[in-house]
Structure formats: structure tokens, C-alpha cells
Amino acid sequence: MTEQMHRTHRYVSLPTDSPVWERFPMVAPLVLVGTLEPDGSPDVAPKHLAMPVSWENWFGFVCHPDHGTYRNIIATEVFTVGYPSPEMILQTSLAAAPRASDGSKPTVEVLSLTTAREVEGVLVEGCRLHLECRLDRIVDDLGGNVLIIGRVVAAHVSEQLLRSVDVDDHDLVHGSPLLAYVHPGRVATVDETVSFPYHVGFRR
């Protein structure tokens, strides 16, 4: 199999003395992480190095210690996560705007927010899925970045995206398309899926 792959694909070996991730497209989630500033005002920032980090209820994302998101989580020990719909590209872009000279983030004011239910925080309205998390641990020194891991204490999903034995998963995603980030710098709408051919005896 390996020899056949090398006959059909020509590979280029990339130097690893610098990050390789900018050299090819790669699919990732795109989420909005919500935190509270020291004065209690909301902050929302998009993240794509983000995903569940266990089959249990832990969620993690990569952040930089210089970012307000990191400082806010250190202070409050909670954060929220929203999975925006494809129609929310503009709102997600606004959340990525840099802070003003006084440290504020005026673009957050144009987002439609609601109060989280289990933690002190906010949820971005329109997202297909909301997670409310309490800080569990931080993995430091990942090339200057950190991995923030939270325990999910509350989850809210749109009824249109809630799995059911009465609805095929393909129809569910087709009816409520998902937003994906295609690194570096692109997005995609996922509305067509097929079942993965798991081998007999496969265990997660």
C-alpha cells in the first residue's frame, strides 16, 4: 500500500525548523470562545485549534498568554464555547478584530449575546451549539502557546442539529450545515456527509 501511494503521489518533504501548518490546507473547527473582562464586560474571540479532548466532557483550545482570552480565563476560571453557523461569518470576523488602544473590544458590542446558565459568562446567539466550561487545567509551553482545557458543565444544542433515531445524520447535517475553518484563512460549509466505513471490531 505504501509503495502504491508513493507511485500515485509525489511528496515534498517540509523543513520542521519552522511551523509546517501554513504550507497546506487543513480542515478544523471554528468556534467562538466567550470570557469576561476584569470589569465584567464580555469578550468573544474565534479559535480554530479547538476540539473535545476526550470522549468525556472535556473541551480544549490553543491560546496565547498575551491574549485577553487567556488572562480572563485565568482570572475567572470559566469560559464558553459557541459553534457558529455558516450564516455567522460576519459576526465571527468581527469577533476577531483587534482591541482598541484602551484595551476594549468595541466590535463585541455588535454581537447578539445572552447570559450563560451555569457559569458567569455569555453565549453568542445564533450558534448551533453552546458549551459552558470550568477551567480544569492548562498545558504550558507549546512553542509560546498554551492548551486550555475546561470541563463542560452545560451544553445547549439547536433542536435542528440534535441527533435522533428518527432522522438520518446525513439529513441532519444537510438541513443544518456546519461551518468549518480551512487553514490558513478560508472557511467552508459542510452540508454533505457519508457514513465512515468502520472495520468490524473497531473500538474507539
Side-chain angles (χ1 to χ4, degrees):
M1 176 64 73
T2 300
E3 292 181 358
Q4 181 181 359
M5 288 178 60
H6 280 282
R7 285 198 299 269
T8 56
H9 296 276
R10 295 184 61 185
Y11 290 90
V12 175
S13 295
L14 303 175
T16 57
D17 55 352
S18 62
V20 301
W21 313 117
E22 306 295 318
R23 301 296 303 277
F24 47 83
M26 181 174 56
V27 177
L30 183 58
V31 303
L32 294 170
V33 174
T35 58
L36 292 181
E37 300 280 6
D39 62 1
S41 61
D43 180 37
V44 179
K47 306 289 182 182
H48 76 274
L49 294 177
M51 67 175 189
V53 293
S54 167
W55 290 113
E56 301 298 327
N57 290 333
W58 278 281
F59 186 92
F61 68 95
V62 173
C63 191
H64 194 282
D66 287 344
H67 290 179
T69 299
Y70 173 85
R71 296 193 298 269
N72 293 343
I73 292 175
I74 291 296
T76 64
E77 298 189 341
V78 298
F79 62 92
T80 63
V81 180
Y83 280 75
S85 67
E87 296 78 23
M88 296 176 64
I89 292 295
L90 178 58
Q91 294 96 315
T92 305
S93 174
L94 289 172
R99 294 175 181 271
S101 58
D102 63 357
S104 64
K105 203 170 181 180
T107 52
V108 173
E109 298 176 3
V110 305
L111 301 177
S112 182
L113 305 176
T114 187
T115 304
R117 301 180 187 179
E118 296 295 328
V119 303
E120 290 292 326
V122 295
L123 309 175
V124 181
E125 293 185 342
C127 287
R128 296 277 168 76
L129 169 67
H130 295 289
L131 304 175
E132 302 182 30
C133 303
R134 295 191 185 279
L135 178 63
D136 183 87
R137 71 195 75 175
I138 295 178
V139 181
D140 293 307
D141 197 24
L142 299 174
N145 296 298
V146 300
L147 173 62
I148 297 174
I149 299 176
R151 179 78 179 189
V152 179
V153 297
H156 322 286
V157 61
S158 167
E159 289 184 347
Q160 295 176 319
L161 205 60
L162 183 64
R163 298 184 69 205
S164 167
V165 295
D166 300 323
V167 181
D168 185 89
D169 282 354
H170 170 272
D171 296 329
L172 201 67
V173 175
H174 187 73
S176 297
L178 306 176
L179 177 65
Y181 181 75
V182 183
H183 183 78
R186 304 184 70 84
V187 293
T189 297
V190 179
D191 58 4
E192 295 291 335
T193 62
V194 296
S195 298
F196 184 82
Y198 287 109
H199 195 281
V200 175
F202 169 82
R203 294 183 180 181
R204 68 185 188 186

